[in-house]
Amino acid sequence: WFRPGARLLIAGQAPGARVHASGRPFADPSGDRLRAWTGLSEPEFYDLSRVAIVPMAFCFPGYDAKGADLPPPAICAQTWRGRVMAALPGVRLRLLVGGAAIRWHLGRRDVTTAVAEWRGAAAEGVFPLPHPSWRNTGWLKRNPWFEAELVPALRAAVRAVMEAE
């Protein structure tokens, strides 16, 4: 879900079953939460001329034994991620949504630490974010600084990139 002229990259995990069936990334409650975090309207979020939405895997990876989504298979990013990133030379801001995207782009294993150190990453045009799934509601409650400090800075950075010429 991208065109070479995009200036904002949303690097996600892999589509869930509902999104995979719809063919539209973040067309679910996680997308609603992510749009709220970024301050983007739905038309802005899906504006291919400005926003690239590129997951770490392009297809739904299935469920584990407990019914949770499996992580994106590593072979997907190994096979094509470098080529996709090379096709996006105008990206000015990267939003790394969830552990798989954080690990690939930053080499960090721990999501909480990567997100907590957001100021250093933001100075480089990167915002590591937890996944906006309802499953992370507890994480958001345990880390109130995320919505109090990171989200306003994220919205300002996204707005600046979206309005830049």
PDB file of all heavy atoms in Angstrom, residues 1-7 43-53:
ATOM      1  N   TRP A   1       0.866  -1.159   0.000  1.00  0.00           N
ATOM      2  CA  TRP A   1       0.000   0.000   0.000  1.00  0.00           C
ATOM      3  C   TRP A   1       0.911   1.220   0.000  1.00  0.00           C
ATOM      4  O   TRP A   1       1.056   1.903   1.024  1.00  0.00           O
ATOM      5  CB  TRP A   1      -0.908  -0.046   1.233  1.00  0.00           C
ATOM      6  CG  TRP A   1      -2.012   0.939   1.204  1.00  0.00           C
ATOM      7  CD1 TRP A   1      -1.927   2.232   1.612  1.00  0.00           C
ATOM      8  CD2 TRP A   1      -3.348   0.756   0.762  1.00  0.00           C
ATOM      9  NE1 TRP A   1      -3.125   2.850   1.451  1.00  0.00           N
ATOM     10  CE2 TRP A   1      -4.016   1.962   0.928  1.00  0.00           C
ATOM     11  CE3 TRP A   1      -4.022  -0.324   0.227  1.00  0.00           C
ATOM     12  CZ2 TRP A   1      -5.349   2.121   0.593  1.00  0.00           C
ATOM     13  CZ3 TRP A   1      -5.348  -0.159  -0.100  1.00  0.00           C
ATOM     14  CH2 TRP A   1      -5.994   1.044   0.079  1.00  0.00           C
ATOM     15  N   PHE A   2       1.571   1.488  -1.134  1.00  0.00           N
ATOM     16  CA  PHE A   2       2.484   2.631  -1.174  1.00  0.00           C
ATOM     17  C   PHE A   2       2.761   3.056  -2.608  1.00  0.00           C
ATOM     18  O   PHE A   2       2.551   2.297  -3.551  1.00  0.00           O
ATOM     19  CB  PHE A   2       3.804   2.298  -0.470  1.00  0.00           C
ATOM     20  CG  PHE A   2       4.656   1.295  -1.188  1.00  0.00           C
ATOM     21  CD1 PHE A   2       5.652   1.703  -2.055  1.00  0.00           C
ATOM     22  CD2 PHE A   2       4.470  -0.066  -0.990  1.00  0.00           C
ATOM     23  CE1 PHE A   2       6.446   0.781  -2.723  1.00  0.00           C
ATOM     24  CE2 PHE A   2       5.256  -0.999  -1.644  1.00  0.00           C
ATOM     25  CZ  PHE A   2       6.251  -0.571  -2.505  1.00  0.00           C
ATOM     26  N   ARG A   3       3.228   4.270  -2.697  1.00  0.00           N
ATOM     27  CA  ARG A   3       3.758   4.815  -3.953  1.00  0.00           C
ATOM     28  C   ARG A   3       5.089   5.474  -3.624  1.00  0.00           C
ATOM     29  O   ARG A   3       5.283   5.969  -2.513  1.00  0.00           O
ATOM     30  CB  ARG A   3       2.787   5.843  -4.541  1.00  0.00           C
ATOM     31  CG  ARG A   3       1.511   5.184  -5.028  1.00  0.00           C
ATOM     32  CD  ARG A   3       0.782   6.061  -6.028  1.00  0.00           C
ATOM     33  NE  ARG A   3      -0.415   5.355  -6.464  1.00  0.00           N
ATOM     34  CZ  ARG A   3      -1.638   5.846  -6.358  1.00  0.00           C
ATOM     35  NH1 ARG A   3      -1.837   7.053  -5.861  1.00  0.00           N
ATOM     36  NH2 ARG A   3      -2.670   5.145  -6.768  1.00  0.00           N
ATOM     37  N   PRO A   4       5.996   5.545  -4.567  1.00  0.00           N
ATOM     38  CA  PRO A   4       7.335   6.072  -4.290  1.00  0.00           C
ATOM     39  C   PRO A   4       7.372   7.490  -3.723  1.00  0.00           C
ATOM     40  O   PRO A   4       8.316   7.834  -3.039  1.00  0.00           O
ATOM     41  CB  PRO A   4       8.036   6.000  -5.647  1.00  0.00           C
ATOM     42  CG  PRO A   4       7.351   4.868  -6.335  1.00  0.00           C
ATOM     43  CD  PRO A   4       5.908   4.963  -5.899  1.00  0.00           C
ATOM     44  N   GLY A   5       6.381   8.319  -3.951  1.00  0.00           N
ATOM     45  CA  GLY A   5       6.407   9.694  -3.454  1.00  0.00           C
ATOM     46  C   GLY A   5       5.988   9.865  -2.010  1.00  0.00           C
ATOM     47  O   GLY A   5       6.017  10.983  -1.487  1.00  0.00           O
ATOM     48  N   ALA A   6       5.618   8.795  -1.328  1.00  0.00           N
ATOM     49  CA  ALA A   6       5.149   8.903   0.064  1.00  0.00           C
ATOM     50  C   ALA A   6       6.222   9.514   0.959  1.00  0.00           C
ATOM     51  O   ALA A   6       7.411   9.260   0.785  1.00  0.00           O
ATOM     52  CB  ALA A   6       4.746   7.532   0.581  1.00  0.00           C
ATOM     53  N   ARG A   7       5.773  10.293   1.923  1.00  0.00           N
ATOM     54  CA  ARG A   7       6.705  10.923   2.862  1.00  0.00           C
ATOM     55  C   ARG A   7       6.572  10.386   4.278  1.00  0.00           C
ATOM     56  O   ARG A   7       7.423  10.625   5.120  1.00  0.00           O
ATOM     57  CB  ARG A   7       6.535  12.427   2.841  1.00  0.00           C
ATOM     58  CG  ARG A   7       5.101  12.885   3.067  1.00  0.00           C
ATOM     59  CD  ARG A   7       4.970  14.371   2.931  1.00  0.00           C
ATOM     60  NE  ARG A   7       4.492  14.680   1.603  1.00  0.00           N
ATOM     61  CZ  ARG A   7       3.834  15.755   1.289  1.00  0.00           C
ATOM     62  NH1 ARG A   7       3.594  16.661   2.191  1.00  0.00           N
ATOM     63  NH2 ARG A   7       3.409  15.959   0.079  1.00  0.00           N
ATOM     64  N   PRO A  43      -9.286   9.775   5.258  1.00  0.00           N
ATOM     65  CA  PRO A  43      -8.776  10.100   3.910  1.00  0.00           C
ATOM     66  C   PRO A  43      -7.279  10.420   3.897  1.00  0.00           C
ATOM     67  O   PRO A  43      -6.570  10.025   2.973  1.00  0.00           O
ATOM     68  CB  PRO A  43      -9.614  11.312   3.488  1.00  0.00           C
ATOM     69  CG  PRO A  43     -10.868  11.207   4.292  1.00  0.00           C
ATOM     70  CD  PRO A  43     -10.442  10.607   5.611  1.00  0.00           C
ATOM     71  N   GLU A  44      -6.779  11.115   4.908  1.00  0.00           N
ATOM     72  CA  GLU A  44      -5.344  11.404   4.972  1.00  0.00           C
ATOM     73  C   GLU A  44      -4.544  10.110   5.154  1.00  0.00           C
ATOM     74  O   GLU A  44      -3.519   9.914   4.502  1.00  0.00           O
ATOM     75  CB  GLU A  44      -5.035  12.341   6.144  1.00  0.00           C
ATOM     76  CG  GLU A  44      -5.498  13.749   5.965  1.00  0.00           C
ATOM     77  CD  GLU A  44      -5.309  14.573   7.223  1.00  0.00           C
ATOM     78  OE1 GLU A  44      -5.626  14.089   8.333  1.00  0.00           O
ATOM     79  OE2 GLU A  44      -4.851  15.724   7.092  1.00  0.00           O
ATOM     80  N   PHE A  45      -4.998   9.261   6.042  1.00  0.00           N
ATOM     81  CA  PHE A  45      -4.315   8.007   6.353  1.00  0.00           C
ATOM     82  C   PHE A  45      -4.147   7.147   5.098  1.00  0.00           C
ATOM     83  O   PHE A  45      -3.109   6.513   4.906  1.00  0.00           O
ATOM     84  CB  PHE A  45      -5.122   7.256   7.412  1.00  0.00           C
ATOM     85  CG  PHE A  45      -4.439   6.056   8.007  1.00  0.00           C
ATOM     86  CD1 PHE A  45      -3.555   6.189   9.063  1.00  0.00           C
ATOM     87  CD2 PHE A  45      -4.707   4.780   7.536  1.00  0.00           C
ATOM     88  CE1 PHE A  45      -2.939   5.078   9.633  1.00  0.00           C
ATOM     89  CE2 PHE A  45      -4.104   3.657   8.095  1.00  0.00           C
ATOM     90  CZ  PHE A  45      -3.212   3.810   9.148  1.00  0.00           C
ATOM     91  N   TYR A  46      -5.158   7.137   4.254  1.00  0.00           N
ATOM     92  CA  TYR A  46      -5.120   6.305   3.042  1.00  0.00           C
ATOM     93  C   TYR A  46      -4.713   7.081   1.787  1.00  0.00           C
ATOM     94  O   TYR A  46      -4.923   6.609   0.673  1.00  0.00           O
ATOM     95  CB  TYR A  46      -6.472   5.614   2.839  1.00  0.00           C
ATOM     96  CG  TYR A  46      -6.760   4.580   3.900  1.00  0.00           C
ATOM     97  CD1 TYR A  46      -7.777   4.758   4.824  1.00  0.00           C
ATOM     98  CD2 TYR A  46      -5.991   3.421   3.977  1.00  0.00           C
ATOM     99  CE1 TYR A  46      -8.037   3.802   5.803  1.00  0.00           C
ATOM    100  CE2 TYR A  46      -6.240   2.471   4.951  1.00  0.00           C
ATOM    101  CZ  TYR A  46      -7.262   2.660   5.858  1.00  0.00           C
ATOM    102  OH  TYR A  46      -7.503   1.718   6.824  1.00  0.00           O
ATOM    103  N   ASP A  47      -4.093   8.238   1.951  1.00  0.00           N
ATOM    104  CA  ASP A  47      -3.619   9.041   0.825  1.00  0.00           C
ATOM    105  C   ASP A  47      -2.279   8.478   0.344  1.00  0.00           C
ATOM    106  O   ASP A  47      -1.227   8.774   0.911  1.00  0.00           O
ATOM    107  CB  ASP A  47      -3.481  10.499   1.248  1.00  0.00           C
ATOM    108  CG  ASP A  47      -2.973  11.406   0.154  1.00  0.00           C
ATOM    109  OD1 ASP A  47      -2.592  10.916  -0.936  1.00  0.00           O
ATOM    110  OD2 ASP A  47      -2.937  12.632   0.385  1.00  0.00           O
ATOM    111  N   LEU A  48      -2.316   7.657  -0.692  1.00  0.00           N
ATOM    112  CA  LEU A  48      -1.112   6.990  -1.183  1.00  0.00           C
ATOM    113  C   LEU A  48      -0.034   7.949  -1.670  1.00  0.00           C
ATOM    114  O   LEU A  48       1.140   7.570  -1.731  1.00  0.00           O
ATOM    115  CB  LEU A  48      -1.468   6.030  -2.320  1.00  0.00           C
ATOM    116  CG  LEU A  48      -2.186   4.748  -1.910  1.00  0.00           C
ATOM    117  CD1 LEU A  48      -2.659   3.998  -3.146  1.00  0.00           C
ATOM    118  CD2 LEU A  48      -1.293   3.879  -1.070  1.00  0.00           C
ATOM    119  N   SER A  49      -0.399   9.163  -2.007  1.00  0.00           N
ATOM    120  CA  SER A  49       0.614  10.113  -2.465  1.00  0.00           C
ATOM    121  C   SER A  49       1.487  10.607  -1.310  1.00  0.00           C
ATOM    122  O   SER A  49       2.600  11.082  -1.536  1.00  0.00           O
ATOM    123  CB  SER A  49      -0.041  11.307  -3.168  1.00  0.00           C
ATOM    124  OG  SER A  49      -0.760  12.104  -2.248  1.00  0.00           O
ATOM    125  N   ARG A  50       0.986  10.464  -0.074  1.00  0.00           N
ATOM    126  CA  ARG A  50       1.742  10.942   1.086  1.00  0.00           C
ATOM    127  C   ARG A  50       2.053   9.867   2.124  1.00  0.00           C
ATOM    128  O   ARG A  50       2.984  10.019   2.899  1.00  0.00           O
ATOM    129  CB  ARG A  50       0.986  12.089   1.768  1.00  0.00           C
ATOM    130  CG  ARG A  50       0.825  13.296   0.853  1.00  0.00           C
ATOM    131  CD  ARG A  50       0.239  14.481   1.569  1.00  0.00           C
ATOM    132  NE  ARG A  50      -1.172  14.247   1.865  1.00  0.00           N
ATOM    133  CZ  ARG A  50      -1.913  15.044   2.611  1.00  0.00           C
ATOM    134  NH1 ARG A  50      -1.397  16.137   3.140  1.00  0.00           N
ATOM    135  NH2 ARG A  50      -3.183  14.776   2.833  1.00  0.00           N
ATOM    136  N   VAL A  51       1.265   8.796   2.172  1.00  0.00           N
ATOM    137  CA  VAL A  51       1.414   7.786   3.224  1.00  0.00           C
ATOM    138  C   VAL A  51       1.658   6.407   2.616  1.00  0.00           C
ATOM    139  O   VAL A  51       0.886   5.946   1.779  1.00  0.00           O
ATOM    140  CB  VAL A  51       0.152   7.741   4.123  1.00  0.00           C
ATOM    141  CG1 VAL A  51       0.304   6.679   5.202  1.00  0.00           C
ATOM    142  CG2 VAL A  51      -0.132   9.113   4.740  1.00  0.00           C
ATOM    143  N   ALA A  52       2.734   5.762   3.058  1.00  0.00           N
ATOM    144  CA  ALA A  52       3.024   4.378   2.685  1.00  0.00           C
ATOM    145  C   ALA A  52       2.710   3.507   3.898  1.00  0.00           C
ATOM    146  O   ALA A  52       3.201   3.767   4.994  1.00  0.00           O
ATOM    147  CB  ALA A  52       4.489   4.224   2.299  1.00  0.00           C
ATOM    148  N   ILE A  53       1.876   2.501   3.699  1.00  0.00           N
ATOM    149  CA  ILE A  53       1.558   1.550   4.760  1.00  0.00           C
ATOM    150  C   ILE A  53       2.121   0.213   4.315  1.00  0.00           C
ATOM    151  O   ILE A  53       1.604  -0.424   3.395  1.00  0.00           O
ATOM    152  CB  ILE A  53       0.038   1.471   5.005  1.00  0.00           C
ATOM    153  CG1 ILE A  53      -0.521   2.860   5.319  1.00  0.00           C
ATOM    154  CG2 ILE A  53      -0.243   0.495   6.152  1.00  0.00           C
ATOM    155  CD1 ILE A  53      -2.038   2.898   5.416  1.00  0.00           C
TER     156      ILE A  53
END
